[in-house]
Amino acid sequence: EEQVLVIREKLAELYESEREWSKAAQMLSGIDLDSGIRMLDDTYKLSKCVQIARLYLEDDDAASAEAFINKASFLVSNSQHEVLNLQYKVCYARILDLKRKFLEAALRYYDISQIEKRQYGDEEIDEEALEQALTAAVTCTILAAAGPQRSRVLATLYKDERCSKLKIYPILQKVYLERILRKPEIDAFAEELKPHQKALLPDNFTVLGRAMIEHNLLSASKLYTNISFEELGTLLGIPPQKAEKIASRMIYEDRMRGSIDQVEAVIHFEDDTEELQQWDQQIFGLCQALNDILDCMSCKGI
Amino acid sequence: MDIEQKQAELIDHFVKKARNLDGAAGAPFLAALVTEATSHPSLFAFSEILSVPSLAELERTSYSSSLEVLRLFAYGTWSEYKSNAGRLPILVPAQVLKLKQLSVLTLAETNKILPYDQLMRELDVSNVRELEDFLINECMYAGIVRGKLDQLRRCFEVQFAAGRDLKHEQLDNMIKTMSNWLSTSDSLLNSIQDKIKWADMMSEEHKKHRKDIEEKVDEMKKSL
Amino acid sequence: DNSLLRQVSSLMRRLPAIESEKFQDDFL
């Protein structure tokens, strides 16, 4: 087994040097890590699992990578090896990203972007890598399903000073402020995306397209008390029936509050707060504005 | 307050610039300043600039129309411009946009519910999509107005609108409104005070009544 | 002070706070 292991590792190295990532991964996955004959330490097992996952990820094979990351997850909690732990985190985030679990991926990327330590053994983490992780976090959040959970993550990212220096900041700002995104902005954002983030879905929308439609629908719900299917379709750039379908799914999934009147062909949007509470909030806003004026007056000695 | 904070620096900048341009030689530059100020995307107030003495001197020059334009942007609307277009210079697109934004603020001064028909007339817009895009992109996202669009009722319900420059004659109305607020608040507070007193009184009576009954019960028990 | 006057003018437009039918029903 020892000799087979050495041969497999050497062959994997050769495949890697020829950029045959999946073949290298397959070669390494043939190593019996649970052999009863030889005792392999957990760090070695973890390093092999992570290495195999990383190789599969080079070919965007999330399913195969996930199998090995899942194995690694049993070993990582007891691991003191900082480099491996970090590599595991990055792999996990990328797998979630590839599987389009964007919100979870965003949280993991964000976690990685916040590491304080820069030196891990011989490896140095540069600022650019952290910036890439932060950008990935923002991208995944924007692509995630619009709703309250995404809003919370958006708030965290928007309030993080580091995000204001990213190229992607303008679109983050618009998404956080729940503003409607127009085609030029969406096209500019699309240029920075990876292929799986622009892939076609069974309903004939792309991943990006659906995310943008849902975001714009939610933005419209903040601007309108009600809107006809037709106008909504025009606003979103899709046929009215599709607009209705997406709206109904979002309402059903509790990601947007409202009701649909199919007879009048109108969507009624509801606020999260009741009318009387909104009234209360308006009065509160008025009192705050009044206080601001009084403060302004006293500053000016009036 | 946000709008005022954002434009305070701009107002200062233009006022300082205007103060340094006086006399006949300064007139063309003042006219250019007026165009720049009335085209600026973040400036919605012009009375400070208007009150700079050098601007008033434009009246007696061939650039008096610039002063008219500044007054229009301070107090007027797009409809007023159209009625006087013959006497006024042609506005650049940025100025047209600004004047239409200011017209929305003027409409919001008198009504909270703005019908689409009225808005389309005032803003020279031919369809609902164009109107809503204008209200969303140029008014709500610009932060000068907050509200909700109602397609069923074809109206825009205003929740907040930034204040425009005020003419002297508008002050009386403002004072009257605030006096009404004061007197309504006073009577409401008095009313609440009375209700509190009444509630306390009823509570005392209730306690006394309860005590009386308990005493009678005890007496009855003793006599039995 | 023009800035203050503008703020006061904006403040005054804030009432009535809401005028929708639904609010009137709830308020009643």
Side-chain angles (χ1 to χ4, degrees), chain A residues 63-107:
Chain A
S64 307
E66 193 180 10
F68 287 91
I69 276 298
N70 285 342
K71 279 188 188 171
S73 63
F74 291 107
L75 303 160
V76 77
S77 46
N78 293 327
S79 164
Q80 304 299 318
H81 199 291
E82 288 173 330
V83 174
L84 277 179
N85 291 351
L86 183 60
Q87 286 173 346
Y88 165 84
K89 276 186 184 174
V90 172
C91 278
Y92 202 108
R94 288 188 61 195
I95 288 165
L96 290 168
D97 187 349
L98 279 165
K99 291 184 72 176
R100 297 189 214 121
K101 292 185 177 178
F102 289 120
L103 210 54
E104 289 174 59
L107 291 167

Side-chain angles (χ1 to χ4, degrees), chain B residues 138-218:
Chain B
E138 313 299 349
C139 299
M140 290 197 263
Y141 287 172
I144 58 171
V145 130
R146 269 200 309 273
K148 284 282 178 108
L149 299 159
D150 189 329
Q151 282 203 342
L152 265 183
R153 289 163 63 208
R154 287 174 60 86
C155 64
F156 176 45
E157 186 178 343
V158 180
Q159 292 162 350
F160 158 82
R164 282 196 73 176
D165 293 307
L166 288 160
K167 288 186 195 167
H168 221 267
E169 45 267 35
Q170 288 174 287
L171 292 176
D172 283 340
N173 208 24
M174 269 175 67
I175 293 169
K176 193 173 159 211
T177 304
M178 284 194 286
S179 303
N180 286 342
W181 278 19
L182 263 178
S183 63
T184 308
S185 306
D186 274 340
S187 33
L188 179 65
L189 285 169
N190 286 333
S191 201
I192 292 172
Q193 197 90 329
D194 288 343
K195 291 280 180 268
I196 292 171
K197 275 187 197 153
W198 173 84
D200 285 341
M201 188 188 72
M202 292 305 287
S203 170
E204 284 303 320
E205 274 185 25
H206 176 80
K207 276 185 201 162
K208 187 170 171 296
H209 178 68
R210 196 187 173 83
K211 196 173 164 208
D212 286 346
I213 292 181
E214 279 168 6
E215 278 172 7
K216 279 190 179 140
V217 164
D218 285 341

Side-chain angles (χ1 to χ4, degrees), chain A residues 132-291:
Chain A
Q132 274 177 10
L134 189 60
T135 303
V138 172
T139 303
C140 285
T141 309
I142 292 171
L143 291 172
Q149 279 184 311
R150 186 183 83 148
S151 299
R152 281 192 282 275
V153 181
L154 279 168
T156 306
L157 289 168
Y158 184 69
K159 288 165 191 168
D160 189 323
E161 270 176 29
R162 299 173 297 159
C163 287
S164 60
K165 301 180 182 83
L166 298 177
K167 196 174 151 196
I168 204 175
Y169 183 73
I171 194 167
L172 168 63
Q173 187 174 48
K174 278 205 129 181
V175 172
Y176 170 71
L177 294 172
E178 291 175 318
R179 300 210 167 161
I180 291 178
L181 295 169
R182 304 288 173 184
K183 195 169 183 317
E185 293 160 317
I186 296 172
D187 289 344
F189 178 58
E191 279 172 21
E192 310 294 325
L193 297 181
K194 299 190 184 97
H196 72 278
Q197 293 169 332
K198 296 187 276 192
L200 197 64
L201 296 166
D203 56 6
N204 277 332
F205 287 118
T206 62
V207 171
L208 171 66
R210 189 165 72 180
M212 295 295 102
I213 289 167
E214 287 190 354
H215 166 80
N216 281 345
L217 183 46
L218 208 59
S219 301
S221 74
K222 306 294 175 191
L223 298 165
Y224 288 84
T225 308
N226 54 64
I227 187 170
S228 67
F229 294 166
E230 191 155 338
E231 283 297 325
L232 183 60
T234 310
L235 188 72
L236 300 177
I238 55 175
Q241 305 91 324
K242 286 206 169 173
E244 182 202 341
K245 209 169 172 185
I246 293 175
S248 78
R249 195 183 66 227
M250 286 181 75
I251 293 170
Y252 173 72
E253 290 172 0
D254 223 13
R255 292 188 285 130
M256 186 172 74
R257 288 196 51 168
S259 59
I260 294 176
D261 182 340
Q262 286 187 318
V263 172
E264 298 285 335
V266 156
I267 296 173
H268 295 271
F269 296 116
E270 289 163 17
D271 277 304
D272 289 334
T273 46
E274 299 288 333
E275 289 292 311
L276 284 176
Q277 270 181 301
Q278 283 178 53
W279 178 63
D280 220 30
Q281 281 168 4
Q282 298 267 55
I283 306 280
F284 182 69
L286 183 150
C287 294
Q288 276 188 315
L290 177 59
N291 271 341

